[in-house]
Structure formats: structure tokens, C-alpha cells
Amino acid sequence: MEIKRIAVLGAGQMGNGIAHVCAQAGFEVKMRDIEQRFLDRGFETIKKNLGRGVKKGRMTQEEADAIVARIEGVLDLKRAVEDADLVIEAIPEIVQLKLDTWKEVDGLAPEHAILASNTSSISITQMAAMTKRPEKFIGMHFFNPVPVMKLVEIIRGAATSDETVRVIEDVSHRLGKETVIVNEAPGFAVNRLLVPAINEAIFAVQEHVATIEDMDKAIKLGLNWPMGPLTLADFVGLDTLLYISDYLFDEFKDPKYRAPSLLRKMVRAGWLGRKAGRGFYDYSGEQPTPIKL
Ligand code: CAA
């Protein structure tokens, strides 16, 4: 089976990045969101990120324009998926929203289409069960920023067929990504490690083991992480982090996955990280400055 047309559901941080790399790899893309302003914002980000490549002489402005032209912004779900060979969903991590969306998409997408979710934690098997094609359902987990990060974590649900895995591996390689294949389990492979690691850094700050800045400096310079864990927490979004922590805790029933109370308090305050202008750092000035705890 050859994939030519890809529908990306969601034009947010992950959705626009996925649409960008798919169009750059030559696929015809429809990017769908529920309001025009979300589509506009998605296109703006894609153009800005392609502009980085133009500035550095890696592509011409004409090439960047041609990539954008391969993406059609769409509001209507039926129009987005009716001729798709592959649907990649990157809508908010709300279980019921994902289940309802997949049920609807299953009725609208062609029979041959593969359905892939970019969820960072929700069960692939549970979403697949909403469709009449669980063997064609799979997890395709990208990382932020999508155009830069090399990995696609491919997740097999209980019923995912070998053929679906093969096609998705091939598509991911065509996007210039490396892949790992994991069997479904809460947090898959990456977040199972990342989320407890970031949480441990938050516990350390909460217990005054080190300041926010020093904790970041220690891990950045001591472990060669590109960002310290608290900067990374702000980058991922504290709400997302809390959501995944609570999900891991609920699924495993193991206290090692519990979320730090400081993280919960900050989410309740609306300090969601970089996107909110405030998280472990305040982003209102020239340089991010650590907040007072
Ligand atoms: N889109 C496109 N390109 C981007 C970009 C973006 N949003 N952000 C940065 N880049 C490019 C830059 O143009 C630059 O390209 P060149 O090297 O070709 O010049 C390159 O990336 C490096 O960028 P910068 O020099 O501006 O900055 P940096 O060296 O500090 O790198 C970073 C920025 C790539 C984000 C780096 O800090 C990093 O890798 N951070 C960790 C990111 C990470 O861990 N992501 C995973 C989060 S977890 C997740 O996504 C999954 C989940 O389920 C929670």
C-alpha cells in the first residue's frame, strides 16, 4: 500500500509540526482544526520554522513556499479525511474527545486508510476499539519540536497488524525520522522515563535540594541534556506533564509515578510553562528568569 495523502488532525504545536514534515517529504497534506484562527496560527508557525532553513541557506524561499502550498487548511472533518491514505491525529489529550473523534473518522475515511494517533500516553488499544479497523490503528508519537527531533515512537496496540507497522515505519523513514517499535504500555518507552525524571527534578526543587537554575545547570552540564529538566518541563507544558504523570499513576497504581504537589499547584495557578509566559521560569523579559518558590 502506498501512502500519498495524509490528513493531520489538529494544527497546534504537534499538529503543525507533523504537517510541516509530511509536506516537506512530498506528501499531500490536509491540516484540520476546528477554528480558522487555529489553522492560521499553525500556518504561521510552519512558515516561521521553514524560514529558519531559508535564512541558513538550506532551502530557497521558493522551496519553502512549495512546501506550504502542499498543505491545505481544512475545517470540515469529512473533507479532511475522505481521501486520506493516512490520518494522523494530534488533538488535545482528552480521552473522550479522542474516542469520539476516532469513531467519527472511522466512518468518514476510506476503508484502506491507516489511522495513527500522536497521543503521548492514551491507550492505542482503547482508541482502536472505537473503530472497525483496529488492525489498521497505530501510535505514531512525534517529539517537540517535530522538524528537529529525530524520533518517531511507533506503538503497537493489541490488534495492530504487522503490515500497518511496516507501512508506518516506511512513512516515518520518508519523513527523515528514526523509529523504535514499542508494545503498548502506559507512557510507551520515552515518557515512561522522561516524566518520572522531570518529576524527580521538581521534587528536588520542592525539597530545596537545589534551586531551579542549579538543578537545570547540574543536569545540562552533568548529563549533557540539551535543556535542564525544569526548562524542559516548561517547554513540554506543565499541564501536559501533570496529565501524563496522573495517567501513569492511575494505570500502574505505583507511587513512584506520583506527581509532585508543586507541579499540581503550578498548574492550578495557570503557570503552564513557556506557552503561558510563566512556569518554572518567567518568560516576560529578555531572558527567562527562575520564579521565586
Ligand atoms: N522548528 C524547527 N526548527 C527548530 C525549532 C522549531 N521549533 N527550534 C529549533 N530549531 C532548529 C534551529 O533552527 C537549529 O537548526 P540548525 O542546527 O540547523 O541551525 C536547531 O534546531 C537548534 O536550535 P537552536 O540553535 O535555536 O537552539 P538549541 O540548540 O538550544 O536547540 C532544541 C533547541 C532543539 C529545542 C534543543 O534545546 C532540544 O533538543 N531540547 C530538548 C527537546 C526535547 O527533549 N523534546 C522532547 C520533549 S518530550 C515530547 O515532545 C513528547 C511528549 O510526549 C511529552
Side-chain angles (χ1 to χ4, degrees), residues 49 52 56 58 120 141 143-145 148-149 191 227 232:
N49 288 335
R52 295 169 189 259
K56 288 185 177 144
R58 274 195 303 264
S120 48
H141 187 205
F143 295 83
N144 184 27
V148 180
M149 302 301 283
N191 281 336
M227 289 172 164
L232 185 54

Side-chain angles (χ1 to χ4, degrees), residues 139-191:
M140 210 178 171
H141 187 205
F142 290 82
F143 295 83
N144 184 27
V146 178
V148 180
M149 302 301 283
K150 279 273 159 232
L151 183 68
V152 173
E153 196 178 22
I154 296 177
I155 301 107
R156 294 188 79 118
T160 310
S161 72
D162 290 343
E163 172 63 5
T164 299
V165 173
R166 194 196 60 70
V167 173
I168 293 304
E169 266 188 300
D170 180 55
V171 169
S172 304
H173 294 156
R174 284 169 67 189
L175 300 180
K177 304 297 184 193
E178 300 273 344
T179 55
V180 291
I181 298 170
V182 302
N183 287 317
E184 179 180 316
F188 316 135
V190 174
N191 281 336

